[in-house]
């Protein structure tokens, strides 16, 4: 449709008004959604602060690691570990793992596509690629839960670990267990 023909169209003003109303409704909903998401983020941050800083500090000052509330809920503070290798430091982190005897944490993946009936060739892919100097993509990664367990094991074993290299985050975390 060209502009000249569009100008000759008889536009139903009621339909345009209805469309405009729905667009305004969408704008209002998106604004409300943003406000709710902001509130949720604020509530999550406050909960994390209570869970990882305020309550653990209060319990440490009181000299208790576990207590039971009036409603039967058990409150316990336990160590919490998180780790994520920054993308910009992947090679450095993998070198550290290999040089310190932890290469078994690294998971290697070689993605390839084959047609039907080529199942037998899959098992020889890497050998063939290297033998014929084919270009291929080799992916390496450490599974997040494996990295987390490794970090916990190293820290709890008193071993030195470059925290920044592995994006290590350690906190005490409050655990609430409701009585059923």
């Amino acid at each position: 449709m060209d502009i000249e023909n569009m100008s000759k169209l008889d536009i139903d003003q009621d339909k345009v008004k209805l469309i405009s109303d729905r667009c305004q409704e969408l704008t209002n909903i998106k604004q409300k959604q943003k406000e709710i998401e902001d509130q949720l983020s604020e509530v999550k941050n406050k909960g994390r602060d209570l869970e990882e800083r305020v309550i653990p500090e209060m319990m440490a000052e009181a000299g208790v690691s576990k207590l039971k509330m009036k409603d039967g809920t058990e409150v316990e503070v336990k160590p919490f570990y998180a780790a994520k290798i920054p993308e910009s430091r992947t090679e450095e982190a993998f070198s550290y793992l290999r040089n310190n005897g932890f290469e078994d944490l690294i998971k290697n993946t070689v993605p390839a596509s084959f047609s039907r009936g080529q199942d037998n060739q899959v098992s020889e892919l890497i050998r063939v690629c290297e033998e014929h100097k084919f270009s291929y993509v080799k992916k390496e990664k450490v599974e997040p839960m494996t990295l987390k367990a490794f970090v916990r094991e190293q820290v709890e074993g008193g071993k030195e670990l470059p925290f920044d290299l592995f994006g290590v985050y350690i906190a005490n975390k409050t655990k609430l267990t409701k009585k059923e």
Side-chain angles (χ1 to χ4, degrees):
M1 197 179 311
D2 63 30
I3 294 178
E4 283 181 34
N5 286 336
M6 285 180 68
S7 64
K8 296 176 186 175
L9 288 177
D10 183 24
I11 298 175
D12 183 340
Q13 291 302 312
D14 290 337
K15 287 183 180 177
V16 171
K17 169 86 169 90
L18 189 60
I19 292 169
S20 177
D21 290 346
R22 292 297 77 82
C23 290
Q24 186 59 52
E25 182 181 4
L26 176 59
T27 301
N28 294 343
I29 296 240
K30 289 201 172 277
Q31 179 60 37
K32 187 172 185 172
Q33 178 182 353
K34 184 187 178 321
E35 290 168 7
I36 290 170
E37 287 170 350
D38 290 347
Q39 288 174 352
L40 178 60
S41 178
E42 190 177 317
V43 167
K44 282 182 175 183
N45 288 337
K46 185 167 175 95
R48 186 173 20 262
D49 187 46
L50 285 167
E51 186 177 59
E52 295 179 7
R53 187 185 62 80
V54 176
I55 295 171
E57 285 176 5
M58 291 174 76
M59 289 180 71
E61 286 174 19
V64 295
S65 62
K66 192 174 192 176
L67 60 89
K68 191 175 252 185
M69 295 172 41
K70 286 181 185 178
D71 69 356
T73 301
E74 288 186 6
V75 180
E76 184 176 14
V77 174
K78 290 183 170 186
F80 168 79
Y81 296 87
K84 183 176 190 256
I85 298 171
E87 206 170 304
S88 62
R89 302 193 68 193
T90 302
E91 288 303 316
E92 188 181 351
F94 287 173
S95 290
Y96 174 91
L97 293 171
R98 285 186 178 105
N99 294 337
N100 289 280
F102 301 109
E103 60 276 347
D104 58 331
L105 297 177
I106 301 169
K107 181 178 180 179
N108 291 289
T109 311
V110 180
S113 298
F114 289 86
S115 299
R116 282 188 195 166
Q118 292 184 310
D119 292 344
N120 294 337
Q121 285 97 354
V122 173
S123 62
E124 296 185 42
L125 174 62
I126 293 176
R127 185 187 62 75
V128 170
C129 286
E130 289 175 353
E131 182 179 296
H132 295 283
K133 301 195 181 345
F134 292 149
S135 182
Y136 64 92
V137 176
K138 180 181 176 186
K139 292 185 179 182
E140 296 178 311
K141 73 177 194 173
V142 176
E143 292 292 343
M145 294 304 288
T146 302
L147 182 61
K148 179 178 167 179
F150 166 72
V151 167
R152 182 180 58 246
E153 178 184 292
Q154 296 303 299
V155 171
E156 290 179 357
K159 307 262 174 43
E160 240 182 82
L161 190 68
F163 281 23
D164 62 323
L165 182 60
F166 294 103
V168 174
Y169 174 75
I170 300 174
N172 286 316
K173 197 168 192 175
T174 305
K175 180 181 176 187
L176 301 176
T177 308
K178 279 276 192 190
K179 186 178 178 183
E180 295 293 322

